[in-house]
Amino acid sequence: QFAKLARSVEENENSRFDVQDFSGHRSYCVSAILSAAAFLESTINEFFSDTLEYPERFSDSIQDNTLSLLSKMWTLGIPRTATYSIIEKYQIALNIAGLREFDLSKNPIQDLVTLIKMRNALIHFEPSWHDTKDLTSQQISKKFQSALRGKFLENPLTGDNNPFFPDKCLSASMIQWLLKTIISVADQFSEKFEFIPMHEKIRNHIEDALSV
């Protein structure tokens, strides 16, 4: 929905001169980033929770001893609390089940890392770049530009004087990239465990959004 709304603003020739349209467009893009991160965290949390409350969901795909261990760890708070990052939660689940972890050096996990940094930068303005601590806004913008170069079309409502982050990277095309990233992560996770993902029932809507 956010992708469609952002696209409608971008296709309105008067939007780049309309402050209200520009602000609305930004709110759609920022909301999409926050929602994307929330989707992946709620997906892994629900997975662990279901191993405890609805183990029958996995009766055809996960062995009983693995289900028992997953649910026991969740009961003990692993990885239930906010001290665990989104990626750590997925890796812990795979580790418990004796499955191969996600490769942190490849996509979609690399894109997921960038997505989480975007979320953190928008909320806290404290992105955790591994090689530096104190960065200016311009340096942060260049970091994101380097990480996201060529992954999606930039915001057509912006001009040469706008920084890449957050102005130019907030676009309908960026939202589609987010959607592809989070669905890819969720799909690969469910494939490793061989169960049907919860978002399967709305996959046609997801594909519609990606074709806008």
Side-chain angles (χ1 to χ4, degrees):
Q1 185 66 17
F2 288 136
K4 292 177 181 178
L5 289 169
R7 181 76 66 193
S8 67
V9 176
E10 291 176 9
E11 292 176 349
N12 181 355
E13 289 296 330
N14 295 322
S15 293
R16 68 179 59 203
F17 307 110
D18 189 296
V19 174
Q20 186 172 355
D21 280 348
F22 188 88
S23 297
H25 178 272
R26 172 165 293 199
S27 71
Y28 302 144
C29 295
V30 171
S31 296
I33 293 172
L34 303 184
S35 297
F39 165 79
L40 282 178
E41 186 152 26
S42 62
T43 294
I44 188 60
N45 285 349
E46 184 174 31
F47 168 79
F48 271 102
S49 178
D50 283 356
T51 64
L52 176 65
E53 299 180 16
Y54 306 102
E56 63 276 7
R57 175 187 169 194
F58 309 106
S59 59
D60 296 330
S61 57
I62 304 178
Q63 295 182 353
D64 290 344
N65 60 332
T66 301
L67 267 177
S68 177
L69 186 54
L70 286 164
S71 62
K72 182 177 181 179
M73 297 303 285
W74 186 247
T75 302
L76 293 172
I78 304 171
R80 196 168 188 164
T81 68
T83 58
Y84 297 93
S85 71
I86 295 175
I87 295 173
E88 286 174 334
K89 291 185 177 188
Y90 281 90
Q91 300 291 55
I92 288 171
L94 294 170
N95 249 304
I96 291 173
L99 299 173
R100 180 175 294 181
E101 294 183 354
F102 282 115
D103 189 337
L104 301 182
S105 66
K106 297 180 180 179
N107 279 325
I109 301 304
Q110 279 192 330
D111 281 348
L112 170 57
V113 170
T114 303
L115 158 60
I116 294 170
K117 286 179 178 177
M118 291 172 71
R119 189 274 308 269
N120 292 345
L122 289 167
I123 295 178
H124 309 295
F125 210 68
E126 295 178 358
S128 302
W129 299 105
H130 71 279
D131 55 343
T132 55
K133 292 183 178 180
D134 299 318
L135 295 175
T136 65
S137 296
Q138 186 177 17
Q139 288 173 319
I140 291 172
S141 181
K142 287 182 178 179
K143 282 279 189 179
F144 278 118
Q145 187 171 14
S146 177
L148 296 170
R149 183 179 290 113
K151 293 186 180 294
F152 49 78
L153 300 177
E154 295 181 2
N155 183 353
L157 308 181
T158 59
D160 294 338
N161 294 327
N162 291 91
F164 179 81
F165 182 87
D167 295 359
K168 290 184 178 181
C169 72
L170 298 182
S171 67
S173 180
M174 181 275 299
I175 298 176
Q176 291 177 312
W177 165 77
L178 289 177
L179 190 52
K180 289 178 183 177
T181 297
I182 63 175
I183 294 302
S184 180
V185 172
D187 280 345
Q188 289 188 29
F189 180 76
S190 62
E191 287 169 6
K192 287 175 181 289
F193 277 97
E194 299 182 347
F195 68 87
I196 299 174
M198 293 292 286
H199 60 269
E200 187 64 35
K201 56 191 175 184
I202 60 165
R203 193 173 293 276
N204 60 321
H205 297 295
I206 296 170
E207 292 174 350
D208 286 344
L210 291 175
S211 65
V212 173

